[in-house]
Amino acid sequence: MSVQLQVSGLIDRPVAEVFHFIAHEHVRNHPRWDPDIELEQMSDGPIGVGTIIKRRNSRSGTPVEGTMEVVEFEPNRAMGTVIHDGPTEMRGRMTFEALSDDETSLTIDVELPGLDESMDTNFLTSMIERSIRNMKQLIESEL
């Protein structure tokens, strides 16, 4: 029993630039595309498999402390995380695909293990869609 979501979007920039902005600079940039989240990297070194990030999610009004662990990091291809916000676990995976020299397809997959498939996922889907729109705007205007 789990809930699974997938949302995709196109970003008019090379895959290496998109991956760098989203994955390598995740702690700095995530709060910019999702202002309900605060992040602080707890482990040393650049982001990669094993990186631990402290999270503070204020989306529901009451802040929830949690952690994010990077479990997959393949440059210019994928970044996977396991997130614990309070008692809730979420598995996220972002995949990056170069459609041309200057266009990247970004796909975000989210799995919420242990949740009932009959759960209304519209809110979470709309939040992911908002994040992709914000990423696109930030990346295309800054890079």
Side-chain angles (χ1 to χ4, degrees):
M1 182 167 74
S2 71
V3 172
Q4 297 186 359
L5 306 168
Q6 183 177 76
V7 180
S8 296
L10 298 178
I11 300 174
D12 293 327
R13 290 293 181 268
V15 69
E17 290 179 13
V18 174
F19 188 85
H20 182 82
F21 185 92
I22 293 172
H24 287 288
E25 298 291 330
H26 194 81
V27 172
R28 181 175 77 88
N29 288 327
H30 189 134
R32 297 175 68 209
W33 70 70
D34 185 352
D36 298 320
I37 303 293
E38 298 173 36
L39 300 178
E40 178 185 351
Q41 186 168 330
M42 303 307 291
S43 51
D44 293 331
I47 290 182
V49 172
T51 297
I52 302 293
I53 299 167
K54 181 177 163 183
R55 290 173 46 96
R56 182 178 173 96
N57 181 343
S58 59
R59 188 168 291 125
S60 63
T62 302
V64 177
E65 302 287 334
T67 60
M68 172 191 296
E69 179 181 1
V70 177
V71 296
E72 177 184 13
F73 196 88
E74 187 178 347
N76 302 333
R77 295 196 186 276
M79 178 179 174
T81 59
V82 175
I83 297 168
H84 292 98
D85 277 349
T88 304
E89 179 179 303
M90 181 170 62
R91 298 178 182 276
R93 185 170 193 258
M94 294 182 281
T95 54
F96 304 78
E97 180 184 357
L99 300 179
S100 70
D101 288 346
D102 293 319
E103 187 175 46
T104 301
S105 173
L106 170 65
T107 300
I108 299 177
D109 292 286
V110 175
E111 179 184 2
L112 296 151
L115 292 184
D116 188 331
E117 291 179 4
S118 67
M119 179 183 127
D120 182 8
T121 59
N122 290 331
F123 176 74
L124 186 53
T125 299
S126 69
M127 297 309 306
I128 298 168
E129 289 170 344
R130 180 188 77 170
S131 289
I132 289 178
R133 282 192 308 272
N134 290 346
M135 287 180 213
K136 177 179 176 65
Q137 189 276 325
L138 287 165
I139 292 168
E140 290 179 1
S141 68
E142 294 180 9
L143 301 179

